[in-house]
Amino acid sequence: MPVRLSQVRGRNALEETRSLGDDASLDTLNEKRRATLAEVDNATFSWFHVRICLVAGAGFFTDAYDIFAINIASVMLGYVYGHNQKLSANQDLGIKVATPVGVVLGQLVFGWLADVFGRKRIYGYELMLMIVASFGQALAGEAHGVNIIGVLVVWRFIMGLGVGGDYPLSSVIPAEFSSTRIRGRVMIAVGANQGWGQLAAALVAFIITAAYKDTLLADDPRVLPHVDYMWRLLIGLGCVPGAVALYFRLTIPETPRFTMDVERNVLRAARDAERIVAVGTYAHRGDSDSDVGDVRVRAPRASRRDFAAYFSKRENLVPLLGMCYAWFAIDVAFYGLGLNTSIILQAIGFGSPSAGVTGTAAVYETLRNVSVGNIVLAVAGLIPGVWTTFLVVDSWGRKPVQLLGFIMLTILYLIMGFAYRPLTATPASRKAFVFLYCLTNFFSNFGPNATVSVFPGESFPTRYRSTAFGIAAASGKIGAVVSQVGFGKLVNIGGENAFVPHLLEIFAFFMLTGALATLVLKEGRNLTLEELSNERQEGFIEGRSTNSRQPFRVR
């Protein structure tokens, strides 16, 4: 069987790494670090990169499915457990806002843990939380002392912790493994699974509704017992993609950058990079520790004092604040509308049953129409938008795409808000409104909703990259919480759904300010992660050390 040239080079490089051992000089170690980083940054696209995209993308797929399935499930829950077959405003708010609240905490905690213990050691635990919480929701019940909506709120908060933990890990890991010229596309391809997850939630809801049509039509319209089966299936199936991806997450290798810059073991990082990039394989920790000496070096180390010193510099703090606000702004609108699509569709008459249809037939038509409406919005806007970003993010750059998206969203929300009444007055005009709504989804994903996760994922030093990503992402989900609370409290001012046009106008304001925040961000196209870290790389390794790493220690 012929041996590839890359395999020969990889084996030679491994032999060279083994030969360095304890006798490697300071200059040699610095040069080895530079060579290892260059090897990762200049690597050709391989099946290993495909695997990283699939394993990380499975998390984003599950995240989106779990978060947005409640958009349709809340309508089903209303039919079964709501007063007059509709959840109260507070109940609807509770089950929708519980997940974003959990996400905020999960992003901060898991982001920090990944910088302390490593990406590999933490990766997979967040998926376990999502799997258990999805299964727990599907089995939730109520009794005299327990209300099912309260139980679901608790489970959705726990699920949010897992979803939040997935954000920093599934973005930072692909960024640290990717070569410079394809990094943007790899990160966008991973995030693109959110669109597929939203589509899957709508498709599953449609299939379940169609499958239960006959039994649903035969139900007692005052009880609707089979709708209880339907929402449990819809939510419970969310654990399937996570369960499939779990093994692959637990066996993913540590990134060479973390091994080198945080664990401060340059030789092992070089060995890992050479196996992954040149040979196409990797060893689990402990499988071949004897191959390379465990040589620790002195290099910038994470600590509270170092963290404060780094982010006290304007060139580091201002971009972080810009990332935080840009993510906050887009999530105000994206989740404000995304988690309430069924309300918007019914408000304009698109998700309502035909005139004269009553009883269980009206229930069936409503669920079918809402499912179809969500499918249309995903297919016509979300999925094309993110893949358009994929095509141009490494040629145009991240900043132009994000600016374009924010500006177009500002214009679209202004049109939809100020022209809401005429746009929803007739069947023909309602189609125009749905078209504009699809455009907002398109420019959300061909714009900030796709790029806000790229900026923090490729910025900052390795020792703080995941933590800073968690801070930026948590800021976004605070926007989602604010939006959900605001939407729930304001939407019915002046009558049922009467405040919707004013909410769209408010979203336009946030899109405009998001565009302004984008101006302070640094373009990452064709720059290495080290160039984007704003740290001096010459003499990064200061000497040898026999001490193990102590992240975030006080000094």
Side-chain angles (χ1 to χ4, degrees):
M1 185 175 179
V3 179
R4 291 181 302 171
L5 179 60
S6 62
Q7 290 178 316
V8 174
R9 288 174 177 169
R11 287 170 187 151
N12 291 340
L14 286 174
E15 291 299 326
E16 177 188 344
T17 300
R18 292 189 190 104
S19 68
L20 290 176
D22 294 333
D23 298 328
S25 67
L26 183 59
D27 288 341
T28 302
L29 289 171
N30 269 302
E31 179 56 37
K32 193 62 186 176
R33 178 178 182 271
R34 285 192 293 270
T36 301
L37 291 173
E39 190 168 13
V40 174
D41 290 335
N42 298 316
T44 56
F45 187 74
S46 67
W47 280 109
F48 178 78
H49 294 104
V50 173
R51 182 189 175 194
I52 291 293
C53 287
L54 292 175
V55 173
F60 276 111
F61 179 95
T62 306
D63 296 347
Y65 183 101
D66 289 341
I67 291 175
F68 290 98
I70 200 63
N71 179 30
I72 304 170
S74 64
V75 180
M76 299 177 179
L77 285 165
Y79 282 127
V80 181
Y81 300 105
H83 180 64
N84 293 328
Q85 297 191 331
K86 185 176 181 180
L87 294 179
S88 68
N90 287 334
Q91 287 176 324
D92 188 70
L93 174 63
I95 61 171
K96 288 178 179 176
V97 82
T99 301
V101 170
V103 169
V104 171
L105 184 59
Q107 287 167 333
L108 293 172
V109 172
F110 278 88
W112 173 71
L113 288 174
D115 278 340
V116 173
F117 297 105
R119 288 74 163 115
K120 173 181 172 55
R121 291 184 183 178
I122 301 300
Y123 211 33
Y125 290 107
E126 78 294 336
L127 205 54
M128 294 179 192
L129 280 175
M130 286 190 276
I131 294 169
V132 171
S134 295
F135 198 67
Q137 289 175 77
L139 298 179
E142 68 175 349
H144 294 294
V146 181
N147 182 275
I148 191 168
I149 302 301
V151 174
L152 288 174
V153 166
V154 173
W155 276 120
R156 291 194 68 77
F157 172 79
I158 295 172
M159 185 184 75
L161 293 174
V163 171
D166 190 57
Y167 271 76
L169 287 159
S170 289
S171 296
V172 168
I173 288 174
E176 293 183 351
F177 273 122
S178 298
S179 60
T180 302
R181 67 183 180 278
I182 64 168
R183 188 176 61 241
R185 279 169 287 176
V186 168
M187 295 181 73
I188 294 296
V190 170
N193 287 276
Q194 286 187 321
W196 295 115
Q198 287 180 252
L199 175 62
L203 276 172
V204 170
F206 177 79
I207 292 168
I208 290 172
T209 301
Y212 274 89
K213 177 180 179 180
D214 293 337
T215 52
L216 176 59
L217 293 175
D219 272 348
D220 181 346
R222 296 168 297 177
V223 181
L224 299 171
H226 285 94
V227 177
D228 196 47
Y229 290 84
M230 293 164 66
W231 76 260
R232 293 177 188 276
L233 274 173
L234 175 60
I235 296 295
L237 287 172
C239 68
V240 174
V244 171
L246 182 59
Y247 167 77
F248 299 99
R249 289 210 167 181
L250 294 175
T251 57
I252 207 164
E254 184 58 84
T255 69
R257 279 184 162 93
F258 183 87
T259 303
M260 183 159 41
D261 290 351
V262 181
E263 292 187 336
R264 307 191 307 286
N265 194 327
V266 177
L267 302 188
R268 177 168 288 128
R271 186 275 314 270
D272 291 346
E274 285 151 1
R275 281 185 167 154
I276 292 167
V277 175
V279 185
T281 62
Y282 65 90
H284 298 290
R285 289 298 173 88
D287 289 352
S288 55
D289 286 348
S290 60
D291 289 349
V292 178
D294 190 18
V295 181
R296 304 281 181 175
V297 298
R298 288 203 316 273
R301 177 182 294 179
S303 68
R304 294 185 182 92
R305 182 177 298 176
D306 180 68
F307 183 89
Y310 177 82
F311 285 105
S312 64
K313 297 177 181 177
R314 186 180 184 280
E315 63 268 27
N316 300 324
L317 179 61
V318 171
L320 177 61
L321 294 178
M323 295 170 199
C324 289
Y325 186 79
W327 208 326
F328 175 90
I330 186 58
D331 275 9
V332 165
F334 188 76
Y335 283 89
L337 293 179
L339 292 180
N340 296 286
T341 300
S342 59
I343 294 175
I344 300 294
L345 292 173
Q346 292 181 63
I348 65 175
F350 195 82
S352 304
S354 304
V357 177
T358 59
T360 53
V363 174
Y364 168 75
E365 278 205 19
T366 297
L367 295 177
R368 185 195 63 187
N369 291 347
V370 168
S371 300
V372 170
N374 278 273
I375 291 172
V376 169
L377 294 175
V379 172
L382 293 171
I383 294 174
V386 73
W387 287 106
T388 304
T389 301
F390 172 85
L391 293 175
V392 302
V393 70
D394 282 320
S395 55
W396 288 14
R398 297 83 162 111
K399 201 169 177 178
V401 172
Q402 185 159 305
L403 271 174
L404 174 65
F406 270 130
I407 292 169
M408 291 303 300
L409 288 171
T410 302
I411 296 170
L412 289 168
Y413 284 131
L414 285 173
I415 294 172
M416 293 168 65
F418 285 103
Y420 181 84
R421 302 304 176 193
L423 282 172
T424 58
T426 66
S429 63
R430 282 196 289 271
K431 292 179 181 178
F433 184 89
V434 172
F435 173 72
L436 291 173
Y437 199 172
C438 288
L439 281 181
T440 64
N441 282 334
F442 177 83
F443 282 105
S444 289
N445 275 8
F446 180 36
N449 194 53
T451 54
V452 287
S453 62
V454 176
F455 282 103
E458 62 182 11
S459 302
F460 313 113
T462 303
R463 64 188 184 279
Y464 298 132
R465 186 171 294 121
S466 184
T467 301
F469 188 102
I471 293 170
S475 300
K477 290 306 167 284
I478 291 172
V481 172
V482 169
S483 180
Q484 279 304 294
V485 174
F487 196 104
K489 297 298 182 182
L490 299 176
V491 66
N492 293 321
I493 292 178
E496 186 174 8
N497 299 324
F499 206 75
V500 167
H502 303 301
L503 287 172
L504 294 170
E505 294 159 9
I506 292 171
F507 293 159
F509 168 78
F510 280 104
M511 297 304 96
L512 178 60
T513 55
L516 297 176
T518 302
L519 296 176
V520 306
L521 303 183
K522 184 177 180 179
E523 176 57 57
R525 180 173 62 95
N526 294 331
L527 295 178
T528 69
L529 297 184
E530 283 63 42
E531 290 172 323
L532 289 166
S533 72
N534 289 332
E535 280 198 322
R536 183 177 61 87
Q537 297 302 307
E538 290 297 324
F540 187 85
I541 296 174
E542 302 163 350
R544 291 181 174 275
S545 174
T546 56
N547 297 324
S548 61
R549 62 184 180 88
Q550 298 175 20
F552 288 94
R553 70 185 176 94
V554 180
R555 61 182 184 187

